[in-house]
Amino acid sequence: ARFAYNWALQKEREAYAAGEKFIGNNDLRKAFTVLRNSDQYSWLKTKRGDYSFYQDTDKIQITSTQVKLEAIATSKRRNGQRLNWIRLGERDRIPVGVKYFQPRITFDGLNWWLSVAVELELENISTPVGDALGIDLGIKNLAVCSDGTVYPNINKTKKIKKLKQRKRRLQRSISRKYEINKKKGEGY
């Protein structure tokens, strides 16, 4: 992939330096196919790439249970099953009847995955009731609210400090016991 990117970038730079037009995607793909089929770059055929591709939003159709990635056929079989439709793993996982953005299809070696961005309209937006409250999170105090309420940081209390100190002492004693047992085991 890196070689193909650098090769295409070099072609675009050469065209720009020569004062030519921008090279289109189809022309670059055709030239790269010719390059890949040459004897010098035959190693490009053996590289396995990412099984991931982008799908144009106008070429994708989604229902609550199926997705169609290309507008190839709209006919149905005798039993009513649609042709060229892929069954989704979960029903109603993708919203239907909304605008889709950036559909990407990915293969992980076992399953194909479809990911899309969806534009949804928010319903029942609640309006704030009452006064606004600002909260300042700090180190000395856990939180200080704009109405003057102070919530203390429990990690700064004497009880927590004593518990942490006791924990350190117990951990040191366990570590010493471990070292003593380790030395005893060496002599046997």
Side-chain angles (χ1 to χ4, degrees):
R2 176 58 54 192
F3 174 81
Y5 173 80
N6 289 333
W7 176 84
L9 183 63
Q10 183 62 32
K11 287 288 184 188
E12 292 292 351
R13 285 182 176 167
E14 289 172 2
Y16 180 76
E20 297 173 6
K21 287 185 176 181
F22 178 76
I23 304 172
N25 184 27
N26 288 337
D27 295 332
L28 279 174
R29 287 176 182 266
K30 287 176 186 176
F32 190 76
T33 302
V34 170
L35 178 76
R36 190 181 67 195
N37 290 333
S38 68
D39 292 335
Q40 184 181 0
Y41 294 101
S42 61
W43 57 270
L44 286 170
K45 291 181 184 179
T46 61
K47 291 286 178 183
R48 300 195 83 152
D50 251 355
Y51 293 110
S52 174
F53 59 93
Y54 171 80
Q55 182 69 45
D56 290 334
T57 53
D58 58 343
K59 294 181 181 177
I60 191 168
Q61 297 176 25
I62 297 176
T63 67
S64 63
T65 58
Q66 297 175 329
V67 63
K68 185 176 184 180
L69 300 176
E70 290 282 339
I72 298 171
T74 57
S75 62
K76 294 183 179 181
R77 294 184 182 162
R78 287 185 185 176
N79 61 2
Q81 183 181 5
R82 297 176 177 178
L83 293 174
N84 301 322
W85 286 78
I86 302 166
R87 185 176 54 87
L88 294 173
E90 296 180 37
R91 182 182 192 93
D92 295 323
R93 180 68 177 192
I94 301 174
V96 179
V98 295
K99 190 171 183 180
Y100 303 106
F101 297 99
Q102 303 168 344
R104 179 156 294 281
I105 293 89
T106 310
F107 183 66
D108 66 358
L110 182 61
N111 296 312
W112 286 94
W113 298 92
L114 169 68
S115 59
V116 294
V118 180
E119 182 180 283
L120 297 173
E121 293 196 22
L122 298 177
E123 297 176 5
N124 300 330
I125 300 175
S126 61
T127 57
V129 179
D131 296 331
L133 179 68
I135 300 174
D136 181 25
L137 300 176
I139 297 172
K140 181 180 175 186
N141 296 314
L142 177 66
V144 178
C145 298
S146 61
D147 64 356
T149 310
V150 176
Y151 295 95
N153 190 346
I154 63 166
N155 291 327
K156 301 292 182 180
T157 61
K158 287 183 181 179
K159 184 176 180 179
I160 298 293
K161 287 182 181 179
K162 284 183 180 181
L163 287 172
K164 285 183 178 179
Q165 187 176 10
R166 183 172 177 226
K167 179 181 152 190
R168 281 194 298 268
R169 257 187 271 128
L170 290 172
Q171 285 178 334
R172 278 197 304 264
S173 68
I174 289 172
S175 178
R176 286 187 199 119
K177 287 179 184 177
Y178 175 76
E179 291 296 325
I180 291 170
N181 288 337
K182 188 176 170 185
K183 288 180 183 177
K184 284 182 183 177
E186 290 175 0
Y188 293 107

Short mmCIF file of all heavy atoms in Angstrom, two decimals, residues 81-105:
data_model
loop_
_atom_site.label_atom_id
_atom_site.label_comp_id
_atom_site.label_asym_id
_atom_site.label_seq_id
_atom_site.Cartn_x
_atom_site.Cartn_y
_atom_site.Cartn_z
N GLN A 81 -37.03 -14.08 -1.96
CA GLN A 81 -35.74 -13.63 -1.44
C GLN A 81 -35.10 -12.68 -2.44
O GLN A 81 -35.12 -12.90 -3.64
CB GLN A 81 -34.82 -14.82 -1.20
CG GLN A 81 -33.49 -14.44 -0.60
CD GLN A 81 -32.60 -15.65 -0.41
OE1 GLN A 81 -32.93 -16.76 -0.81
NE2 GLN A 81 -31.46 -15.43 0.20
N ARG A 82 -34.54 -11.60 -1.95
CA ARG A 82 -33.92 -10.62 -2.82
C ARG A 82 -32.54 -11.08 -3.26
O ARG A 82 -31.81 -11.69 -2.49
CB ARG A 82 -33.78 -9.28 -2.10
CG ARG A 82 -35.09 -8.67 -1.72
CD ARG A 82 -34.86 -7.43 -0.94
NE ARG A 82 -36.11 -6.78 -0.63
CZ ARG A 82 -36.22 -5.68 0.08
NH1 ARG A 82 -35.13 -5.11 0.55
NH2 ARG A 82 -37.37 -5.15 0.32
N LEU A 83 -32.18 -10.77 -4.50
CA LEU A 83 -30.85 -11.09 -5.00
C LEU A 83 -29.87 -10.00 -4.61
O LEU A 83 -30.23 -8.83 -4.51
CB LEU A 83 -30.87 -11.23 -6.52
CG LEU A 83 -31.67 -12.41 -7.06
CD1 LEU A 83 -31.71 -12.34 -8.57
CD2 LEU A 83 -31.04 -13.71 -6.62
N ASN A 84 -28.61 -10.36 -4.41
CA ASN A 84 -27.52 -9.44 -4.13
C ASN A 84 -27.70 -8.67 -2.82
O ASN A 84 -27.17 -7.59 -2.66
CB ASN A 84 -27.30 -8.46 -5.29
CG ASN A 84 -27.00 -9.19 -6.57
OD1 ASN A 84 -26.29 -10.19 -6.56
ND2 ASN A 84 -27.54 -8.71 -7.66
N TRP A 85 -28.47 -9.19 -1.92
CA TRP A 85 -28.64 -8.58 -0.61
C TRP A 85 -27.91 -9.44 0.42
O TRP A 85 -27.91 -10.65 0.33
CB TRP A 85 -30.12 -8.47 -0.24
CG TRP A 85 -30.81 -7.39 -1.00
CD1 TRP A 85 -31.24 -7.45 -2.29
CD2 TRP A 85 -31.14 -6.09 -0.54
NE1 TRP A 85 -31.83 -6.27 -2.65
CE2 TRP A 85 -31.78 -5.42 -1.58
CE3 TRP A 85 -30.96 -5.43 0.68
CZ2 TRP A 85 -32.23 -4.12 -1.47
CZ3 TRP A 85 -31.43 -4.14 0.80
CH2 TRP A 85 -32.05 -3.49 -0.27
N ILE A 86 -27.31 -8.79 1.38
CA ILE A 86 -26.56 -9.48 2.43
C ILE A 86 -27.33 -9.34 3.73
O ILE A 86 -27.74 -8.24 4.10
CB ILE A 86 -25.15 -8.88 2.57
CG1 ILE A 86 -24.41 -8.98 1.24
CG2 ILE A 86 -24.37 -9.57 3.67
CD1 ILE A 86 -23.18 -8.14 1.17
N ARG A 87 -27.51 -10.44 4.43
CA ARG A 87 -28.25 -10.44 5.68
C ARG A 87 -27.38 -9.85 6.78
O ARG A 87 -26.22 -10.19 6.94
CB ARG A 87 -28.67 -11.85 6.05
CG ARG A 87 -29.55 -11.93 7.28
CD ARG A 87 -30.00 -13.35 7.55
NE ARG A 87 -28.91 -14.29 7.62
CZ ARG A 87 -28.23 -14.56 8.73
NH1 ARG A 87 -28.53 -13.96 9.83
NH2 ARG A 87 -27.25 -15.44 8.70
N LEU A 88 -27.96 -8.94 7.56
CA LEU A 88 -27.26 -8.35 8.69
C LEU A 88 -27.27 -9.31 9.88
O LEU A 88 -28.20 -10.09 10.04
CB LEU A 88 -27.92 -7.02 9.10
CG LEU A 88 -27.83 -5.89 8.08
CD1 LEU A 88 -28.66 -4.71 8.54
CD2 LEU A 88 -26.39 -5.47 7.87
N GLY A 89 -26.24 -9.22 10.69
CA GLY A 89 -26.14 -10.09 11.86
C GLY A 89 -27.18 -9.77 12.91
O GLY A 89 -27.64 -10.65 13.63
N GLU A 90 -27.57 -8.51 13.03
CA GLU A 90 -28.56 -8.11 14.04
C GLU A 90 -29.67 -7.31 13.38
O GLU A 90 -29.41 -6.43 12.58
CB GLU A 90 -27.89 -7.25 15.12
CG GLU A 90 -26.85 -7.99 15.91
CD GLU A 90 -26.22 -7.10 16.96
OE1 GLU A 90 -26.93 -6.26 17.54
OE2 GLU A 90 -25.02 -7.23 17.17
N ARG A 91 -30.88 -7.60 13.76
CA ARG A 91 -32.04 -6.90 13.21
C ARG A 91 -32.11 -5.50 13.80
O ARG A 91 -31.87 -5.30 14.98
CB ARG A 91 -33.30 -7.68 13.53
CG ARG A 91 -34.55 -7.08 12.98
CD ARG A 91 -35.76 -7.91 13.41
NE ARG A 91 -36.90 -7.50 12.65
CZ ARG A 91 -37.30 -8.06 11.53
NH1 ARG A 91 -36.65 -9.08 11.04
NH2 ARG A 91 -38.36 -7.61 10.88
N ASP A 92 -32.44 -4.52 12.98
CA ASP A 92 -32.61 -3.12 13.38
C ASP A 92 -31.35 -2.53 14.02
O ASP A 92 -31.44 -1.64 14.85
CB ASP A 92 -33.80 -2.96 14.34
CG ASP A 92 -35.11 -3.31 13.66
OD1 ASP A 92 -35.25 -2.99 12.46
OD2 ASP A 92 -35.98 -3.89 14.33
N ARG A 93 -30.19 -3.04 13.67
CA ARG A 93 -28.95 -2.50 14.22
C ARG A 93 -28.62 -1.15 13.58
O ARG A 93 -28.11 -0.26 14.24
CB ARG A 93 -27.81 -3.50 13.98
CG ARG A 93 -26.48 -3.07 14.48
CD ARG A 93 -26.45 -3.04 15.97
NE ARG A 93 -25.12 -2.68 16.41
CZ ARG A 93 -24.71 -2.79 17.62
NH1 ARG A 93 -25.50 -3.25 18.55
NH2 ARG A 93 -23.49 -2.45 17.94
N ILE A 94 -28.91 -1.01 12.28
CA ILE A 94 -28.66 0.24 11.56
C ILE A 94 -30.01 0.91 11.33
O ILE A 94 -30.93 0.28 10.83
CB ILE A 94 -27.96 -0.02 10.22
CG1 ILE A 94 -26.63 -0.74 10.45
CG2 ILE A 94 -27.72 1.27 9.48
CD1 ILE A 94 -25.94 -1.17 9.18
N PRO A 95 -30.15 2.19 11.69
CA PRO A 95 -31.44 2.87 11.47
C PRO A 95 -31.77 2.94 9.98
O PRO A 95 -30.90 3.09 9.14
CB PRO A 95 -31.21 4.27 12.04
CG PRO A 95 -29.95 4.22 12.79
CD PRO A 95 -29.18 3.04 12.34
N VAL A 96 -33.05 2.84 9.67
CA VAL A 96 -33.53 2.86 8.28
C VAL A 96 -34.19 4.20 8.02
O VAL A 96 -34.83 4.78 8.88
CB VAL A 96 -34.53 1.71 8.05
CG1 VAL A 96 -35.06 1.72 6.64
CG2 VAL A 96 -33.88 0.38 8.36
N GLY A 97 -34.02 4.72 6.79
CA GLY A 97 -34.67 5.95 6.39
C GLY A 97 -33.95 7.20 6.87
O GLY A 97 -34.57 8.24 7.03
N VAL A 98 -32.66 7.09 7.12
CA VAL A 98 -31.87 8.25 7.54
C VAL A 98 -30.73 8.44 6.54
O VAL A 98 -30.52 7.62 5.65
CB VAL A 98 -31.28 8.06 8.96
CG1 VAL A 98 -32.39 7.98 10.00
CG2 VAL A 98 -30.41 6.83 9.04
N LYS A 99 -29.99 9.51 6.69
CA LYS A 99 -28.88 9.79 5.79
C LYS A 99 -27.62 9.11 6.31
O LYS A 99 -27.30 9.20 7.49
CB LYS A 99 -28.67 11.31 5.70
CG LYS A 99 -27.72 11.72 4.62
CD LYS A 99 -27.72 13.21 4.44
CE LYS A 99 -26.80 13.59 3.30
NZ LYS A 99 -26.78 15.03 3.09
N TYR A 100 -26.92 8.40 5.41
CA TYR A 100 -25.71 7.67 5.77
C TYR A 100 -24.48 8.41 5.25
O TYR A 100 -24.51 9.00 4.18
CB TYR A 100 -25.72 6.26 5.16
CG TYR A 100 -26.92 5.45 5.57
CD1 TYR A 100 -27.94 5.20 4.69
CD2 TYR A 100 -27.02 4.94 6.85
CE1 TYR A 100 -29.05 4.46 5.06
CE2 TYR A 100 -28.12 4.20 7.24
CZ TYR A 100 -29.12 3.96 6.34
OH TYR A 100 -30.21 3.24 6.71
N PHE A 101 -23.41 8.34 6.02
CA PHE A 101 -22.14 8.94 5.63
C PHE A 101 -21.02 7.92 5.77
O PHE A 101 -21.05 7.08 6.66
CB PHE A 101 -21.79 10.14 6.53
CG PHE A 101 -22.77 11.26 6.45
CD1 PHE A 101 -23.75 11.40 7.42
CD2 PHE A 101 -22.72 12.16 5.42
CE1 PHE A 101 -24.65 12.43 7.36
CE2 PHE A 101 -23.62 13.20 5.35
CZ PHE A 101 -24.59 13.34 6.33
N GLN A 102 -20.03 8.01 4.93
CA GLN A 102 -18.79 7.25 5.01
C GLN A 102 -18.98 5.75 5.25
O GLN A 102 -18.43 5.19 6.20
CB GLN A 102 -17.89 7.81 6.10
CG GLN A 102 -17.59 9.26 5.93
CD GLN A 102 -16.96 9.86 7.16
OE1 GLN A 102 -17.00 9.30 8.24
NE2 GLN A 102 -16.36 11.03 6.99
N PRO A 103 -19.76 5.05 4.42
CA PRO A 103 -19.88 3.61 4.62
C PRO A 103 -18.57 2.91 4.26
O PRO A 103 -17.98 3.17 3.22
CB PRO A 103 -21.01 3.21 3.67
CG PRO A 103 -21.09 4.30 2.68
CD PRO A 103 -20.57 5.54 3.33
N ARG A 104 -18.09 2.05 5.14
CA ARG A 104 -16.84 1.32 4.94
C ARG A 104 -17.09 -0.14 5.23
O ARG A 104 -17.69 -0.49 6.24
CB ARG A 104 -15.75 1.87 5.84
CG ARG A 104 -14.46 1.12 5.68
CD ARG A 104 -13.26 1.94 6.08
NE ARG A 104 -12.98 3.08 5.26
CZ ARG A 104 -12.38 3.06 4.07
NH1 ARG A 104 -12.04 1.93 3.53
NH2 ARG A 104 -12.13 4.17 3.43
N ILE A 105 -16.63 -1.00 4.33
CA ILE A 105 -16.78 -2.43 4.46
C ILE A 105 -15.41 -3.01 4.78
O ILE A 105 -14.43 -2.70 4.09
CB ILE A 105 -17.37 -3.07 3.18
CG1 ILE A 105 -18.81 -2.59 2.98
CG2 ILE A 105 -17.38 -4.57 3.27
CD1 ILE A 105 -18.96 -1.36 2.21
#
